[in-house]
């Protein structure tokens, strides 16, 4: 017990001591450990509801876990003199003591477990079970690697993200003029999650300190400020064209949206609690491509870290555009109903009972599109080509087609972005600008983090 308490002290209290209730069982190292712990992460995402499941919060968690895994894996590679890429923060060199079998597995697993426990303490029971499922032991059992490597990995990522602004409790105050975002609950289309303007989700997220990019506004597109004010925007021909496209293609009862567009709209949705949400879907797609391409554990750790860092910074960049530019654009439902085009119009987007709903934050720019651009941007740069045929999956409960095949990463991202128009919750320029911002984020992330060490 003395050694165990010493380990806990070294972690600054971030490791939890619990009674040991089961004898050690043989470990089950089936499948890649990076994939295993990202699967655990997605299960945790499915449990997050309301603001806790906001895209930015989930993307931040993924970046913390996968950056810590990468630095742990880098430490392992440094010890065995096979480290070819720079760590995110730091790789610890540890002497060749008696670490025992499964050294790489244990570094990755114990690091992932402790970061997730820190981020989602209410999921402790589930996380403990997934740890034991993998290792056959309790997470609180003594392991020398906690002292030599894992403690450093957990502490440094927690320290790096401390005070990053992600816990800011800011209420949104709407601009209150035509064109400005407002709550999207209507008498014939009630949405208790978006009944008041103050319910707008994570309005301060654009001010969160990024993981890699210089700041949330670093890649802000010109379009939000192009018109200067709401009145000029609403009087423009471009705005009228944007509204008309989504009115025709995004309506619940649209006769112009094709069957395939409807299938694509639902394939990419994942706005509902109980799903792995948009960041989770792209992490799942990362796994599917990695398995197809046969990546090693080292390759998986780097790819997942790059994707996660890009997704986290993409969320910050997208929310900067949504809330910190001159125009907090209202959703199409508000534009169409309150603009006098169709007071009964409803989007295709719906909850599990089929009731129309809208994401509770401004439209410009699309979070889905920004995530998609960041994901595709990392994938094509990591693999050195955009044109890899990929088959990707969906778990949205509305999706009639659970698997779709694409000829490139960019094609998948483009459909992801366009799907928001077909779902009736975004304008075409939300998608176009989001893709561009996401790709800019990805370009910066891959050029400035986890780079190859010159030989």
């Amino acid at each position: 017990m003395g050694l165990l308490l010493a380990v806990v002290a070294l972690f600054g209290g971030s490791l939890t001591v619990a009674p040991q209730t089961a004898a050690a069982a043989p470990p089950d190292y089936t499948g890649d450990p990076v994939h295993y712990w990202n699967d655990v992460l997605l299960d945790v995402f499915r449990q997050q509801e309301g603001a806790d499941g906001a895209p930015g919060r989930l993307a931040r968690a993924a970046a913390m876990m996968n950056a810590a895994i990468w630095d742990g894996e880098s430490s392992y590679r440094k010890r065995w003199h096979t480290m070819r890429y720079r760590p995110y923060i730091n790789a610890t060199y540890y002497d060749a003591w008696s670490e025992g079998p499964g050294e790489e597995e244990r570094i990755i697993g114990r690091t992932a477990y402790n970061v997730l426990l820190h981020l989602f303490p209410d999921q402790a029971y589930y996380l403990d079970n997934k740890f034991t499922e993998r290792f056959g032991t309790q997470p609180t059992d003594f392991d020398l690697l906690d002292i030599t490597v894992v403690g450093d990995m957990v502490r440094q990522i927690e320290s790096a993200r401390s005070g990053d602004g992600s816990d800011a409790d800011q209420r949104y105050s709407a601009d209150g003029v035509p064109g400005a975002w407002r709550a999207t609950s209507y008498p014939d289309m009630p949405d208790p999650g978006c009944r008041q303007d103050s319910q707008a989700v994570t309005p301060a997220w654009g001010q969160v300190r990024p993981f890699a990019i210089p700041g949330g506004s670093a890649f802000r597109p010109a379009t939000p400020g192009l018109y200067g004010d709401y009145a000029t925007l609403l009087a423009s021909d471009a705005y009228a064209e944007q509204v008309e496209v989504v009115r025709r293609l995004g309506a619940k009862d649209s006769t112009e949206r094709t069957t395939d567009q409807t299938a694509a709209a639902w394939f990419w949705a994942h706005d509902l609690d109980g799903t792995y949400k948009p960041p989770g879907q792209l992490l799942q797609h990362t796994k599917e491509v990695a398995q197809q391409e046969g990546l090693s554990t080292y390759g998986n750790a780097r790819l997942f870290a790059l994707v996660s860092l890009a997704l986290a910074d993409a969320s910050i960049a997208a929310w900067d555009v949504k809330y910190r530019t001159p125009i907090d654009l209202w959703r199409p439902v508000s534009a169409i109903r309150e603009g006098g085009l169709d007071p009964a119009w409803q989007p295709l987007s719906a909850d599990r009972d089929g009731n129309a709903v809208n994401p509770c934050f401004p439209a410009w720019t699309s979070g889905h599109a920004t995530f998609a651009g960041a994901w595709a941007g990392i994938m094509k740069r990591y693999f050195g080509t955009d044109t890899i045929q990929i088959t990707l999956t969906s778990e949205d409960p509305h999706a009639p087609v659970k698997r779709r095949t694409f000829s490139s990463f960019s094609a998948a991202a483009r459909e992801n972005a366009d799907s928001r128009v077909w779902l009736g919750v975004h304008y075409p320029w939300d998608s176009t600008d989001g893709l561009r911002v996401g790709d800019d984020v990805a370009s910066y992330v891959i050029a400035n983090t986890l780079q190859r060490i010159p030989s």
Side-chain angles (χ1 to χ4, degrees), residues 272-301:
L272 301 177
D273 289 339
T275 69
Y276 45 38
K277 315 298 191 307
Q281 184 178 30
L282 293 174
L283 291 172
Q284 173 64 23
H285 292 173
T286 303
K287 174 186 172 181
E288 289 161 359
V289 175
Q291 289 178 322
Q292 173 184 303
E293 298 302 306
L295 296 189
S296 66
T297 296
Y298 194 29
N300 281 321

Side-chain angles (χ1 to χ4, degrees), residues 114-356:
N114 281 289
V115 171
L116 289 176
L117 187 63
H118 166 77
L119 291 168
F120 303 101
D122 61 322
Q123 296 294 311
Y125 180 78
Y126 170 74
L127 294 172
D128 287 355
N129 285 339
K130 297 305 290 186
F131 183 97
T132 301
E133 179 183 305
R134 188 74 174 177
F135 293 104
T137 59
Q138 299 295 310
T140 49
D141 288 355
F142 175 75
D143 192 314
L144 184 60
L145 290 170
D146 288 341
I147 298 174
T148 57
V149 185
V150 174
D152 287 344
M153 302 303 99
V154 175
R155 280 194 301 272
Q156 70 184 17
I157 195 63
E158 290 178 4
S159 176
R161 300 314 301 175
S162 177
D164 65 0
S166 59
D167 58 353
D169 185 17
Q170 180 177 323
R171 289 272 181 167
Y172 181 72
S173 179
D175 291 340
V177 298
W181 183 86
R182 68 281 314 279
T184 52
S185 181
Y186 292 90
D188 66 323
M189 198 173 72
D191 181 1
C194 200
R195 196 179 298 277
Q196 300 176 353
D197 297 348
S198 60
Q199 290 178 293
V201 176
T202 54
W205 201 261
Q207 302 175 63
V208 171
R209 186 174 70 250
F211 283 78
I213 64 175
S217 62
F219 305 111
R220 185 184 289 177
T223 316
L226 187 62
Y227 297 95
D229 57 64
Y230 292 103
T232 304
L233 171 65
L234 267 60
S236 69
D237 291 339
Y239 169 79
E241 292 171 1
Q242 294 281 314
V243 174
E244 182 61 13
V245 169
V246 69
R247 185 191 71 81
R248 292 188 293 104
L249 296 180
K252 182 177 183 178
D253 57 357
S254 172
T255 59
E256 298 185 48
R257 185 180 56 246
T258 68
T259 300
D260 189 62
Q261 287 171 336
T262 300
W266 289 124
F267 179 89
W268 293 104
H270 294 97
D271 293 318
L272 301 177
D273 289 339
T275 69
Y276 45 38
K277 315 298 191 307
Q281 184 178 30
L282 293 174
L283 291 172
Q284 173 64 23
H285 292 173
T286 303
K287 174 186 172 181
E288 289 161 359
V289 175
Q291 289 178 322
Q292 173 184 303
E293 298 302 306
L295 296 189
S296 66
T297 296
Y298 194 29
N300 281 321
R302 182 168 179 263
L303 177 60
F304 272 84
L306 287 168
V307 166
S308 298
L309 293 171
L311 293 180
D313 280 2
S315 74
I316 296 168
W319 260 246
D320 167 82
V321 177
K322 286 181 182 296
Y323 288 108
R324 304 190 69 214
T325 53
I327 293 172
D328 298 353
L329 188 61
W330 58 8
R331 290 280 170 175
V333 66
S334 301
I336 295 167
R337 285 182 169 227
E338 299 180 38
L341 296 176
D342 183 350
W345 188 90
Q346 293 190 7
L348 175 64
S349 174
D351 62 19
R352 291 179 184 271
D353 296 323
N355 303 308

